[in-house]
Amino acid sequence: TLEGMFTSGDGDPTDGKYTSAYTMNFYGLPGAVWFNHKTLLLFPFTNTVSNYTGAVSDISNLGFGLGSAIATASYDIVPNKLNLKVGGAFAQAMATPPPTPEGVARGRFIGVEVNAELVYQLRYLMNIGLHGGFMKKGNFYEGNPRVTEDPWAAFTTFTWYAF
């Protein structure tokens, strides 16, 4: 698969005019959460409960806009039973964010992710999965004391769509 996303960004957040996609996320509220089952870290993952914790949780990206591309490939190791999927994703802001209060310049590059998952279908609409991903954070996070390392995730899921 190959998919992309583009939303405009507010090139000058200090001019008193908001010119980005208006989803209320300029203030940190999840107004237009864009879940994606092909990423684990850049965008919220769909197979988890109440997951708003992607690097980008809203298509407006805090008013800075978004340009992204996601590519995946999957293969049934055992037809209709065991599936392996590998993927990669890239994201960047469309407008340059202002410097931090400490004066640290920030860039537009949000990050790049690589991930893989192995999913076994136990029964119809019931599966168990093993997921892992790594994101190389970009200069969008320069000067942010809460994002000091490149994030990664490894977890299992049990999904039952009919119970």
Side-chain angles (χ1 to χ4, degrees):
T1 66
L2 181 62
E3 62 184 78
M5 164 75 76
F6 171 83
T7 59
S8 62
D10 188 350
D12 185 4
T14 63
D15 67 358
K17 297 177 184 174
Y18 185 80
T19 58
S20 181
Y22 185 69
T23 62
M24 295 178 57
N25 197 31
F26 188 77
Y27 302 103
L29 301 172
V33 178
W34 184 61
F35 292 99
N36 192 296
H37 62 277
K38 297 176 185 129
T39 63
L40 304 176
L41 300 163
L42 272 175
F43 300 103
F45 184 59
T46 58
N47 283 10
T48 55
V49 177
S50 299
N51 182 6
Y52 295 108
T53 57
V56 179
S57 63
D58 183 290
I59 62 172
S60 75
N61 187 31
L62 301 172
F64 300 117
L66 175 67
S68 69
I70 302 169
T72 62
S74 64
Y75 178 74
D76 275 348
I77 297 169
V78 177
N80 302 313
K81 275 293 195 191
L82 184 63
N83 180 269
L84 173 66
K85 182 184 69 138
V86 294
F90 165 87
Q92 78 170 27
M94 300 316 296
T96 303
T100 65
E102 294 79 22
V104 177
R106 298 170 55 197
R108 294 168 52 180
F109 177 55
I110 296 170
V112 62
E113 173 185 336
V114 293
N115 62 56
E117 70 179 11
L118 188 62
V119 176
Y120 180 74
Q121 186 169 347
L122 296 168
R123 296 178 187 269
Y124 180 67
L125 299 177
M126 181 189 295
N127 60 48
I128 188 167
L130 176 62
H131 315 270
F134 173 80
M135 183 180 124
K136 178 70 178 162
K137 70 180 180 73
N139 56 7
F140 185 80
Y141 296 103
E142 289 295 317
N144 186 330
R146 298 178 71 188
V147 184
T148 58
E149 302 291 328
D150 293 329
W152 62 273
F155 56 94
T156 61
T157 56
F158 173 74
T159 307
W160 189 9
Y161 291 109
F163 53 92

